Amino acid sequence: MFAVMKTGGKQYKVQSGDTLRVEKLAADAGEKVQFNEILMLGGNTVVVGAPLVDGAAVQAEVIDQVKGDKVITFVKRRRKHSSKRTRGHRQQLTLLRVTEILAEGAGATGVKAAVGAGSVAAAAPAPEAAAKPAAKAAAAEGADDLKTLSGVGPALEKKLHEAGVTTFAQIAAWTEADIAEMDEKLSFKGRIEREGWVDQAKDLISK
């Protein structure tokens, strides 16, 4: 029997005994996790979900937390002559071994559901998180118009505000690590450097 499961925004066709790498999960080596988003089951009878197969699951044992192969990105800033940078990135992954494919009864197994590491952080905010909306609203009163930056529209400006970025001075002070972190938060990898936000912010402050 095989199953087509979904995790980390990707689909995987797996069988019992398969080893695979998926987007990082909140689990330690040796733990058993269960994937409940099953799109299809195959074997003697093929079952296609609508969109998921009710009661089906894939169970797996976490072997280790690993990093993927290094991916090299080359960034050339628009309208900035001789301004370019090459940097590498290694995606954090979880190495799994599939132990069992369940056609039914997924809800009664007692095995914890596989959850992405980022989802856990979002689901368990820090105690002071409740006070953040008021703080952001107060900060917004003295905020700069971030839409002045190339490539920033109302939706992206809102995301920046939610991340606590409200002024050009903050952007002008970003380090490479800050840029990499913000790329992840905004889900627009490379845009900050491609549009030259840091240089634009510095120019706007100096005016």
Side-chain angles (χ1 to χ4, degrees), residues 12-13 26 41 45 54 73 77 100 103 121 123 136 161 184 200:
Y12 302 86
K13 180 182 177 183
L41 291 174
T45 303
D54 189 34
T73 59
R77 297 174 184 168
E100 190 174 1
K136 288 177 183 175
H161 285 173
E184 293 291 337
Q200 289 185 56

Side-chain angles (χ1 to χ4, degrees), residues 91-191:
Q91 182 67 36
Q92 293 186 325
L93 304 169
T94 299
L95 184 63
L96 302 168
R97 180 182 295 109
V98 177
T99 57
E100 190 174 1
I101 296 176
L102 305 176
E104 57 185 18
T109 62
V111 179
K112 79 171 188 177
V115 180
S119 300
V120 171
E128 66 274 11
K132 285 186 178 180
K136 288 177 183 175
E141 292 179 2
D144 292 321
D145 183 5
L146 301 184
K147 296 189 296 296
T148 306
L149 299 173
S150 175
V152 178
L156 194 48
E157 183 183 48
K158 182 179 178 181
K159 286 187 176 182
L160 286 166
H161 285 173
E162 290 173 350
V165 180
T166 59
T167 66
F168 296 137
Q170 288 174 281
I171 296 174
W174 278 352
T175 63
E176 290 187 15
D178 295 329
I179 292 172
E181 180 182 354
M182 198 57 61
D183 273 340
E184 293 291 337
K185 288 183 179 180
L186 300 178
S187 300
F188 287 118
K189 291 185 178 180
R191 170 171 286 192

Side-chain angles (χ1 to χ4, degrees), residues 19-96:
T19 301
L20 69 154
R21 299 188 303 176
V22 301
E23 295 290 322
K24 186 176 181 181
L25 302 175
D28 297 324
E31 281 193 70
K32 196 171 184 180
V33 294
Q34 179 170 294
F35 298 90
N36 297 313
E37 292 187 273
I38 309 303
L39 305 175
M40 187 174 89
L41 291 174
N44 295 330
T45 303
V46 176
V47 181
V48 179
L52 304 179
V53 180
D54 189 34
V58 170
Q59 293 183 353
E61 180 184 358
V62 177
I63 299 174
D64 198 6
Q65 300 289 359
V66 298
K67 286 187 176 182
D69 297 332
K70 180 172 283 189
V71 177
I72 303 298
T73 59
F74 178 81
V75 179
K76 184 173 181 180
R77 297 174 184 168
R78 187 173 62 177
R79 297 190 296 272
K80 299 288 182 180
H81 298 293
S82 301
S83 179
K84 57 189 178 181
R85 181 190 304 171
T86 302
R87 68 180 183 181
H89 170 73
R90 296 184 67 188
Q91 182 67 36
Q92 293 186 325
L93 304 169
T94 299
L95 184 63
L96 302 168

